[in-house]
Amino acid sequence: MTQNLSYELSLNYGRSDYDQRSNGDVMTGRFRQALDAVVIDGETVCRDSAARAQGCRPIFIFEEGGISEEAATYFTAATGLDAFQEQYIVNGFVSGSVPNVSPAGDIGFVIGGEYREESARSTPDPLTQLGLATGNITPETRGAFNVREAFAELRIPLLADLPYAQALDLNLAGRVSDYSTVGSTTAWAASVEYLPTSWLKLRSQYAVAVRAPNINELFNPGSQTFPQVGDPCEGVTLSGGQAAFLNTRSNIADPDVVLNSGVDASTIGDAVAQACMLDSAIAARVARDGGFALTQPEFQGVSGFNTGNPDLTPETSKTFTIGLLFNPRWNDWWSRLSISADYYDISIEDGVGTYGRQVSVDRCYENAASFDPTSPFCGGIQRFSGGASVGALQYVNIRNLNLAEINVEGLDLKASYSLPLNDAFSAPSMDLGSLSASLTYSHLIDFSSTAFPGAAPQTFSGTVGAPDHEAVLNLLYARGPLQVTMGLQYVGEADVGFFDADLESLLPSMTFVNAQVRYDLNERTSIYAGVDNLFDEYMFVAGTNGDIGQATGWTTFPDVYDGLGRRFYGGFRFSF
């Protein structure tokens, strides 16, 4: 018979609205019309008569005052974005215990269910949706899903109050979900906690988890971008009826240099060249010009759309952890120490990702057998089918797919100690305060990823953002209303060669120090002052153009290393 039954039923509703409005955005088509001016009957006017009828006025961008108020009114417009996210959750569970089943104690349980609805919409203004303003084409994204879930947890005591077995508990948990988008999923976990003594706990867990794709990953109709994509077919030609490449494959400043460079005899019958010539648009360009030489507008004008995929399936992860918690109780000095160490091994399958545009283009034209306009690699490639740019890449589109495999393995260590200074030093007439320290250390053993089936695994451990060694040490001195804190962040050596093999180098380890002083004037008011990056450390890596993977505009990796240098701050807090 169950005991200590309790239950809970909850209904939650949440909604987040976002409204953005901007004035003075430029309608690019009208701006071009205003630039294209002619003189008619001694008056400078817009060339397009229909545009003149709509209010077009010529502009002179190299003259002071060359844009009149009437002209600006014609080619500027208000743009914006209206978006929301909404969620309904109904959750209920019953918890309790079942006695007289295990000799080690009562079995605890929780069983319940949940129903959740989520919906979202992001609606740009009509000009942005059509790409008529200065931004890329951004259509409306909207979608919704619901999920029904049942879950249960059990805590089963196996041993208790025995020599070298003060406690041994088995924990089981499971959740079954039914999504309106991806169907049924199952997640579960099993863990063991073992206390051989009061000061040592050993623990281990194996868990299988799932992540259903979100609304944007499923329903994004396609947001436009202008990527930089190298065309593997550039410089292709025919020699004696066989596919080959020209000696010079690219010269966007003067394509005639390519066309007049002659055939590279070593490439006659080349596999990539053969695949390229199977593309009818490229074959038409070669038949017209004698070879495929890109112009600068063609090279720089490649566009593409990032789209969702309603056929995605959930991501699945498997996690194994094993560790210990050491908290000695031998005396007052030892009881203040707490140490934990945990090993983890995590793998993720069917991760939501994309092939990447360059990978798609390269794999599509890898050889004659790989060229299939309906394949996952070739399906998003669209070339101009006619006109002056026939054969050139027009769009390289990518969509979300279940592709990636990710493996992470490492070791986490945490330690803390707190010491009242009066216990360490004899000063009975005054309060010396207390000193606390906490240390977190992470050792990354492996971090690798396979972008898609058949791709070569990539290793990220030891690179920027994933160093082999990281640590954070926090120190706190407290005495009455006074608190002084100091934090030290250690970032281990990191390689930037992953981003560009030609720039391969090992960045040295760095330590950043932050400090703060706080004083509580009373229960409601406190003042504080501090300094971040006390020693003004800076990791310079390159210029501001993002060539080795850093954010554009930065000469460091600001998400890894402090990018602002030493800075001071101060203020006060008041609570009502």
Side-chain angles (χ1 to χ4, degrees):
M1 184 174 180
T2 57
Q3 293 180 342
N4 304 319
L5 282 179
S6 62
Y7 67 90
E8 181 176 305
L9 182 64
S10 63
L11 172 63
N12 296 280
Y13 170 75
R15 181 182 173 100
S16 175
D17 287 277
Y18 179 81
D19 185 44
Q20 173 186 309
R21 293 290 179 266
S22 301
N23 293 315
D25 204 347
V26 174
M27 292 181 282
T28 54
R30 290 193 169 194
F31 190 77
R32 285 193 295 268
Q33 291 170 342
L35 286 171
D36 186 12
V38 296
V39 177
I40 299 178
D41 297 331
E43 181 183 4
T44 304
V45 296
C46 299
R47 182 187 302 273
D48 191 316
S49 59
R52 294 199 301 270
Q54 294 175 346
C56 180
R57 299 290 187 271
I59 61 175
F60 308 94
I61 59 175
F62 297 111
E63 294 182 10
E64 183 177 355
I67 302 178
S68 66
E69 183 176 346
E70 293 83 359
T73 300
Y74 175 72
F75 65 75
T76 59
T79 57
L81 175 68
D82 175 40
F84 78 86
Q85 292 180 314
E86 193 171 47
Q87 185 181 71
Y88 297 88
I89 302 177
V90 180
N91 180 284
F93 65 85
V94 176
S95 63
S97 60
V98 181
N100 304 321
V101 176
S102 169
D106 298 346
I107 295 178
F109 71 89
V110 175
I111 185 169
E114 181 174 291
Y115 174 77
R116 186 170 75 253
E117 289 185 4
E118 295 193 22
S119 59
R121 174 181 55 78
S122 177
T123 308
D125 64 274
L127 293 174
T128 302
Q129 291 190 45
L130 297 174
L132 300 179
T134 52
N136 297 336
I137 296 174
T138 308
E140 178 185 66
T141 299
R142 65 166 63 223
F145 68 87
N146 63 71
V147 56
R148 297 171 173 83
E149 297 182 307
F151 56 86
E153 297 181 23
L154 285 176
R155 184 177 183 86
I156 306 172
L158 302 178
L159 298 173
D161 301 324
L162 296 174
Y164 304 106
Q166 290 201 355
L168 176 62
D169 296 333
L170 173 65
N171 303 290
L172 303 173
R175 180 178 290 259
V176 177
S177 307
D178 183 18
Y179 287 84
S180 60
T181 50
V182 297
S184 299
T185 65
T186 301
W188 60 272
S191 65
V192 175
E193 295 181 351
Y194 172 48
L195 279 76
T197 69
S198 62
W199 46 267
L200 180 64
K201 176 190 285 189
L202 306 177
R203 57 196 181 190
S204 183
Q205 182 184 65
Y206 183 82
V208 175
V210 295
R211 186 191 75 87
N214 60 40
I215 288 174
N216 186 67
E217 290 170 336
L218 290 166
F219 303 116
N220 182 1
S223 54
Q224 188 181 28
T225 184
F226 287 87
Q228 189 175 35
V229 181
D231 193 337
C233 296
E234 195 174 5
V236 74
T237 187
L238 286 175
S239 177
Q242 295 189 66
F245 283 105
L246 296 164
N247 281 303
T248 301
R249 297 191 185 186
S250 179
N251 189 327
I252 59 175
D254 188 357
D256 287 338
V257 172
V258 176
L259 298 176
N260 296 323
S261 64
V263 175
D264 181 352
S266 66
T267 66
I268 296 175
D270 181 86
V272 175
Q274 291 183 42
C276 293
M277 290 305 299
L278 292 176
D279 192 312
S280 59
I282 295 175
R285 178 72 164 257
V286 172
R288 186 191 71 186
D289 298 344
F292 182 33
L294 291 177
T295 65
Q296 183 170 351
E298 291 170 343
F299 178 80
Q300 297 179 339
V302 181
S303 183
F305 290 85
N306 304 326
T307 63
N309 182 0
D311 297 324
L312 289 174
T313 59
E315 297 177 342
T316 303
S317 71
K318 298 176 182 178
T319 302
F320 171 72
T321 63
I322 186 169
L324 61 85
L325 175 62
F326 176 68
N327 189 198
R329 307 294 185 182
W330 306 328
N331 54 48
D332 288 344
W333 290 95
W334 281 102
S335 64
R336 302 183 181 105
L337 175 66
S338 177
I339 298 176
S340 67
D342 291 280
Y343 166 83
Y344 60 87
D345 186 353
I346 304 170
S347 63
I348 299 175
E349 298 178 352
D350 296 325
V352 175
T354 64
Y355 284 124
R357 288 179 167 83
Q358 191 63 60
V359 171
S360 294
V361 174
D362 291 343
R363 294 293 290 266
C364 176
Y365 297 98
E366 193 170 28
N367 51 59
S370 68
F371 179 72
D372 178 0
T374 63
S375 73
F377 293 113
C378 303
I381 300 173
Q382 297 181 32
R383 295 181 180 271
F384 287 98
S385 58
S389 294
V390 60
L393 290 170
Q394 183 177 13
Y395 298 107
V396 181
N397 303 319
I398 58 174
R399 70 195 303 242
N400 292 322
L401 297 168
N402 291 103
L403 297 172
E405 294 184 9
I406 302 171
N407 296 282
V408 182
E409 182 183 6
L411 178 68
D412 288 338
L413 175 68
K414 297 181 180 179
S416 63
Y417 191 84
S418 180
L419 175 66
L421 295 181
N422 281 83
D423 292 350
F425 304 98
S426 178
S429 61
M430 63 181 297
D431 179 13
L432 297 180
S434 64
L435 183 64
S436 301
S438 64
L439 172 68
T440 301
Y441 166 74
S442 296
H443 172 45
L444 187 62
I445 299 172
D446 177 51
F447 178 16
S448 58
S449 173
T450 302
F452 55 88
Q458 293 179 315
T459 299
F460 300 97
S461 54
T463 63
V464 172
D468 293 336
H469 305 279
E470 283 187 287
V472 175
L473 174 64
N474 290 310
L475 302 174
L476 167 64
Y477 172 76
R479 181 178 181 273
L482 174 67
Q483 295 184 27
V484 181
T485 61
M486 179 172 289
L488 293 83
Q489 178 191 7
Y490 171 82
V491 182
E493 295 179 340
D495 191 1
V496 296
F498 169 77
F499 301 100
D500 188 336
D502 294 334
L503 298 174
E504 184 172 357
S505 64
L506 195 65
L507 301 179
S509 62
M510 294 202 76
T511 301
F512 299 94
V513 180
N514 304 323
Q516 185 188 90
V517 177
R518 170 179 164 178
Y519 191 86
D520 296 327
L521 299 175
N522 52 50
E523 293 182 354
R524 295 185 176 182
T525 308
S526 62
I527 57 175
Y528 61 90
V531 54
D532 288 343
N533 197 351
L534 177 64
F535 299 106
D536 199 25
E537 299 285 352
Y538 193 84
M539 178 68 79
F540 178 84
V541 294
T544 59
N545 56 4
D547 279 353
I548 63 170
Q550 80 276 26
T552 302
W554 292 85
T555 58
T556 188
F557 293 90
D559 53 338
V560 179
Y561 307 102
D562 185 282
L564 300 177
R566 184 190 297 118
R567 54 202 183 275
F568 301 89
Y569 63 90
F572 71 93
R573 293 187 178 92
F574 180 78
S575 59
F576 295 92

